[in-house]
Amino acid sequence: MPGTNRRLAALLVGLFAFAWAFGSIAPARADSVSRATAAYSRGDYLTAVRLLTPLALRGDAKAQSFLGFMYENGYGAPQAYVAAADLYMQAAICGNPFGQVMLGLMYDKGHGVPQDFVLAYKWLNLGAARAARRDRDYYLRLRNAVAFKMSAAQIAEGQHLALAWVPGQP
């Protein structure tokens, strides 16, 4: 998928430029995501994006999924579905349940990716399977809502894709 690689490279360059424009890129620390969460909670979205960007660029799946959420909703960054989907994809590939679920929802809606209920089901199923107990029921309800739009053959294909998925692969 050469187009996807070019989009990801453009996204990473854009994220780096954004981080550079809003302050120096701090070294990645374990508490940066916590500080970004605190900034988000108090409505300081620019700080949250500034803290998450270097971590996302270094491959931190939690930061990628959180930053994807920020881009999807236009919090502290321009609303950009393609950038959000790319960030969710990177997190999902690493096995991050939130990234998997959010990527599934992007496929369900066709935001930043072509609408594809089979891939939506796959990622929602994986996210639900890997989620913490407190999130699992909600993620299963999302998956089942997508399944309602699908044929039995499509559901079987989505289940097969989820079962065949290996971390590190799209």
Side-chain angles (χ1 to χ4, degrees):
M1 288 197 249
T4 302
N5 290 338
R6 275 181 270 168
R7 280 194 332 219
L8 180 59
L11 168 68
L12 294 176
V13 169
L15 289 174
F16 181 79
F18 186 82
W20 181 79
F22 286 95
S24 63
I25 297 178
R29 286 182 253 155
D31 64 332
S32 291
V33 174
S34 297
R35 290 189 324 223
T37 302
Y40 175 85
S41 294
R42 65 179 181 269
D44 187 358
Y45 303 136
L46 288 175
T47 296
V49 168
R50 184 180 55 78
L51 291 168
L52 292 169
T53 298
L55 297 174
L57 290 170
R58 289 185 182 98
D60 183 297
K62 190 171 184 178
Q64 289 167 334
S65 62
F66 193 175
L67 190 59
F69 178 80
M70 303 287 286
Y71 270 93
E72 180 182 3
N73 294 288
Y75 295 141
Q79 185 178 36
Y81 290 140
V82 172
D86 284 342
L87 286 160
Y88 289 148
M89 177 65 79
Q90 294 307 306
I93 287 170
C94 292
N96 179 275
F98 181 73
Q100 291 172 330
V101 167
M102 296 307 289
L103 180 61
L105 293 175
M106 297 294 274
Y107 274 113
D108 176 47
K109 298 172 196 165
H111 288 175
V113 292
Q115 187 175 44
D116 187 326
F117 296 137
V118 172
L119 289 176
Y121 186 94
K122 167 195 168 180
W123 289 112
L124 287 163
N125 203 33
L126 286 167
R130 301 174 74 85
R133 172 172 256 156
R134 70 182 183 280
D135 298 326
R136 189 169 299 127
D137 287 340
Y138 178 64
Y139 292 171
L140 287 171
R141 284 194 303 273
L142 292 173
R143 183 207 61 193
N144 293 341
V146 170
F148 187 74
K149 305 173 195 177
M150 301 168 67
S151 69
Q154 289 174 312
I155 293 170
E157 184 181 354
Q159 289 172 338
H160 173 73
L161 290 173
L163 286 170
W165 179 75
V166 177
Q169 299 295 315

